[in-house]
Amino acid sequence: MLFLRISSLLIIYTVTSVLSEVSQPKVCIDNGCILGKYYTSQKGNEYEAFLGVPYAKPPVGELRFKNPQPVEPWTADYDASFERSKCVQKNDLWIDQKVEGDEDCLYINLYKPKQAKREKLAVMVYIHGGGYFSGSASKGEFGPDRFMDTEEVILIVMQYRLGVFGFLSTGDHAATGNFGLKDQNAVLRWVRQNIDRFGGDPELVTLFGQSAGGASVQMQMMSPLSKGLFARAWSLSGSALGFWTKPNENPLKFAREQTLAVGIESAADMTSEELVEALRQVDAKVLGQSIDKLKFWHVFPLTPYRPVVEQFVDEETFISGDQRDLWTRGEYLQVPWVTSFVPNEGAFASLALIVNQTLLDRLNENAGSYLTRLLGCPDNEKSKQLLKERFFSDGSEDSWITQANAHKIQDIMSEAFITFPIAQGVQQHIALDNPSKARIDVRYFNFAGRYSHSKYFAKDDGKFGVCHSDDLIYLFRAAGLFSDFELDSEEYAMAEKLVEDYVRFAYDGLKTNNCQDSSCSILEYSNSKDSEKPYKLNDIEGFDEAMIKFWTEFYTC
């Protein structure tokens, strides 16, 4: 009897242990084994999530302002069932934000379908946006459900260092800069080394990102460190050629300004090594908050920290030339590349001004000087006059902005920040005299649904059209920001089509070349009145040439 009881207990223990093991997906890589978590998509399909997987050592203490370092191996199973902290940041894209996050933030979230349709899956690696100063890999913003429902891809969403932590540079070996971009590259190297253990194909990696993430995609295309790490690229609503990504010409001077901003009065007399060491001793939250002292008005300039041209060149150098020159000369990976944009790209920078009368009045008092300065052309009389004539011709010299033309601020921000540099990059690629240049394509997302990021940019329920980041609502399940679309809704139909197109690109690249002979046929996604198919696809011919001509002249400043 006692034997039977012991045997029964052993059986129960064994069954319980087996169930416990299978209740969590487990994958072993060179560094150790990882325990994930099962989730169920909105459509009821199970997928595996490995959350907060480290790809580099925590960049804290002496590793602050240094290139990412390899992770140390671990012995016990690593718990990847929960998300880790976002990187230290102050999100000036949303109103009234405080400093949040942690320096220990170099993690990825990896998702794979439980039942896969292929033996080896294409891999899609996503770089979040946020102007190089904000953003995270949060599952509540970048939920993988729709990609997982295809059962055809592995999705990876990364975090990388931001702001001063990711982009401080002294212009020499003390702080080479571009740490955030090097973090992104470290993720790609991690994928190359480990993704086959998850059932992914290391030869079929698509790098895609939005806003600063879209610009980062191009930056990775231009870095010699990226060679062989991805096969496809997609930049959403972002370009590395924009004025807001223009390399700082005097990074050491700016590093001194940063040091003064945290109250270190002797910055002017310090060597670059002393500057960096002093900044390593500053509390992370204090350092993150100090960005406010580097703005000339409101939240502008939005991107004081950005990529730099590295002067100290070694085998870890991310980029040693101005990206605008490199792109013009075609010195980038020739992989199939898609770039896409939406109508109101400038919403992230303009809506907070338009809905706030105090800010709008202050801008109006200083329209010429503020606008040219925040657009990267300070104190340029020619650029001031060009802006006045094109956007505010009905305003007076003393009061450019009127109730009738205030909406033009959205147009200015849309074109200058996003649409013009995208068009410029496309035209320069078309003009390349290179028989081996890759096929490229342009997409225009103009589908209006019930939700919009304008809710966060302006804290206003007004209708501002399809805004910057609104296409992401269809790619990802953003349950932390918006309620779910019903499965039979028009928005969900649009979402499934958009995700299908991304997955097809991940496998097939571009089968046709819609950009050639100095022009592009742009594929537009828009609303349809057909209840059976609530979206429609249209071909529109090229970019607005008048817009391109205007901003080309403007940026001769």
Side-chain angles (χ1 to χ4, degrees):
M1 190 71 175
L2 179 61
F3 175 77
L4 288 173
R5 186 177 301 166
I6 293 172
S7 298
S8 298
L9 288 172
L10 284 171
I11 291 170
I12 291 170
Y13 175 78
T14 303
V15 170
T16 303
S17 298
V18 171
L19 288 174
S20 176
E21 288 181 8
V22 299
S23 66
Q24 284 185 276
K26 181 175 180 177
V27 173
C28 294
I29 61 175
D30 291 343
N31 283 327
C33 293
I34 306 170
L35 288 178
K37 184 176 181 179
Y38 287 112
Y39 283 90
T40 302
S41 75
Q42 189 182 352
K43 291 185 74 173
N45 296 313
E46 274 196 296
Y47 62 90
E48 301 173 13
F50 298 88
L51 305 173
V53 178
Y55 65 85
K57 284 183 180 178
V60 299
E62 286 301 308
L63 294 185
R64 183 189 280 183
F65 310 132
K66 286 190 176 179
N67 294 341
Q69 300 298 307
V71 175
E72 297 285 351
W74 55 85
T75 52
D77 290 343
Y78 179 86
D79 185 359
S81 65
F82 63 96
E83 295 188 270
R84 270 59 175 186
S85 174
K86 63 178 65 174
C87 293
V88 180
Q89 59 190 270
K90 180 173 179 285
N91 185 1
D92 283 335
L93 295 178
W94 291 6
I95 295 174
D96 299 329
Q97 296 295 300
K98 306 297 182 184
V99 177
E100 56 183 343
D102 195 288
E103 283 188 90
D104 180 2
C105 65
L106 300 187
Y107 300 95
I108 59 172
N109 290 344
L110 184 153
Y111 309 98
K112 66 184 293 281
K114 187 176 181 182
Q115 300 295 328
K117 290 181 178 178
R118 301 170 186 254
E119 184 177 343
K120 276 193 172 184
L121 299 177
V123 184
M124 303 191 71
V125 181
Y126 182 74
I127 308 176
H128 70 73
Y132 297 122
F133 58 82
S134 65
S136 77
S138 168
K139 187 174 181 293
E141 187 171 358
F142 303 110
D145 298 48
R146 292 160 198 160
F147 286 99
M148 294 301 98
D149 284 336
T150 69
E151 299 181 335
E152 290 195 84
V153 295
I154 291 172
L155 176 67
I156 294 171
V157 185
M158 68 171 74
Q159 295 188 158
Y160 55 97
R161 282 173 283 180
L162 304 163
V164 59
F165 303 94
F167 295 91
L168 177 81
S169 173
T170 54
D172 59 12
H173 65 282
T176 57
N178 294 331
F179 307 116
L181 295 171
K182 293 170 183 174
D183 293 342
Q184 296 170 9
N185 194 265
V187 172
L188 291 171
R189 283 183 273 119
W190 185 96
V191 170
R192 183 74 182 178
Q193 181 179 350
N194 298 299
I195 203 62
D196 61 327
R197 313 287 180 88
F198 295 85
D201 186 345
E203 302 298 332
L204 210 54
V205 175
T206 294
L207 184 63
F208 70 128
Q210 188 264 351
S211 197
S216 295
V217 169
Q218 280 181 281
M219 295 298 294
Q220 295 295 335
M221 291 170 72
M222 288 182 272
S223 174
L225 298 182
S226 296
K227 187 176 181 180
L229 296 182
F230 57 95
R232 318 260 191 270
W234 192 315
S235 298
L236 297 81
S237 299
S239 172
L241 309 185
F243 75 91
W244 53 278
T245 66
K246 178 183 176 182
N248 191 326
E249 294 178 359
N250 194 338
L252 181 57
K253 177 175 180 289
F254 188 62
R256 294 192 193 282
E257 293 172 3
Q258 172 64 77
T259 309
L260 288 170
V262 293
I264 301 174
E265 299 297 334
S266 57
D269 301 319
M270 288 181 169
T271 65
S272 59
E273 291 91 345
E274 291 169 337
L275 279 173
V276 172
E277 189 53 42
L279 289 173
R280 282 199 181 107
Q281 307 310 313
V282 178
D283 177 78
K285 293 290 194 294
V286 172
L287 194 52
Q289 187 67 51
S290 68
I291 194 67
D292 292 345
K293 297 180 181 179
L294 301 174
K295 310 280 188 172
F296 75 87
W297 172 66
H298 186 40
V299 297
F300 299 105
L302 273 173
T303 57
Y305 280 106
R306 56 185 74 170
V308 296
V309 176
E310 294 177 49
Q311 303 298 324
F312 181 75
V313 179
D314 61 14
E315 67 278 359
E316 294 184 353
T317 297
F318 181 82
I319 197 166
S320 58
D322 188 315
Q323 66 263 28
R324 296 166 299 171
D325 296 333
L326 295 175
W327 193 266
T328 300
R329 296 196 298 265
E331 295 179 20
Y332 50 89
L333 294 178
Q334 292 301 323
V335 296
W337 176 58
V338 177
T339 183
S340 55
F341 63 107
V342 304
N344 193 355
E345 290 286 12
F348 66 89
S350 62
L351 295 191
L353 305 178
I354 291 171
V355 302
N356 185 318
Q357 194 59 49
T358 301
L359 289 175
L360 194 61
D361 289 344
R362 182 67 184 276
L363 178 60
N364 206 8
E365 292 167 7
N366 305 275
S369 59
Y370 277 14
L371 284 172
T372 51
R373 190 173 179 184
L374 68 86
L375 294 173
C377 279
D379 303 318
N380 188 284
E381 290 302 320
K382 176 186 173 183
S383 296
K384 287 180 185 177
Q385 196 56 38
L386 286 170
L387 282 177
K388 172 72 170 61
E389 291 174 359
R390 183 163 190 245
F391 296 102
F392 306 108
S393 59
D394 55 337
S396 67
E397 287 299 324
D398 296 328
S399 182
W400 286 20
I401 303 169
T402 67
Q403 189 174 0
N405 68 26
H407 67 280
K408 294 289 186 67
I409 298 171
Q410 297 174 90
D411 299 335
I412 292 173
M413 304 295 192
S414 294
E415 293 177 5
F417 273 90
I418 308 294
T419 316
F420 169 63
I422 284 177
Q424 192 177 35
V426 169
Q427 289 191 338
Q428 288 173 356
H429 181 86
I430 293 172
L432 282 180
D433 184 15
N434 178 359
S436 301
K437 67 183 178 184
R439 290 175 174 173
I440 67 170
D441 204 6
V442 183
R443 310 287 171 90
Y444 180 53
F445 189 82
N446 192 20
F447 181 93
R450 75 189 83 170
Y451 304 133
S452 173
H453 278 84
S454 61
K455 167 183 176 181
Y456 295 98
F457 297 143
K459 286 192 175 178
D460 188 285
D461 292 327
K463 298 296 183 182
F464 300 100
V466 180
C467 293
H468 188 74
S469 302
D470 282 356
D471 44 353
L472 299 182
I473 303 172
Y474 301 86
L475 285 177
F476 301 101
R477 184 183 185 185
L481 301 178
F482 306 101
S483 299
D484 283 332
F485 297 131
E486 301 84 1
L487 295 180
D488 61 353
S489 65
E490 295 180 357
E491 291 100 336
Y492 204 89
M494 180 71 263
E496 288 195 308
K497 172 57 180 172
L498 193 63
V499 169
E500 176 191 335
D501 286 356
Y502 275 70
V503 172
R504 291 282 65 76
F505 175 71
Y507 277 101
D508 302 330
L510 297 170
K511 292 185 176 180
T512 58
N513 193 359
N514 293 323
C515 290
Q516 52 190 333
D517 299 328
S518 78
S519 67
C520 267
S521 177
I522 300 174
L523 179 64
E524 177 188 27
Y525 298 85
S526 61
N527 299 80
S528 165
K529 295 179 181 179
D530 183 351
S531 59
E532 296 297 316
K533 188 179 179 183
Y535 61 85
K536 61 181 178 181
L537 307 180
N538 306 300
D539 284 327
I540 55 179
E541 190 56 41
F543 292 97
D544 180 350
E545 292 297 330
M547 179 270 293
I548 295 172
K549 181 179 179 182
F550 171 84
W551 290 107
T552 299
E553 184 177 3
F554 180 88
Y555 282 114
T556 58
C557 62

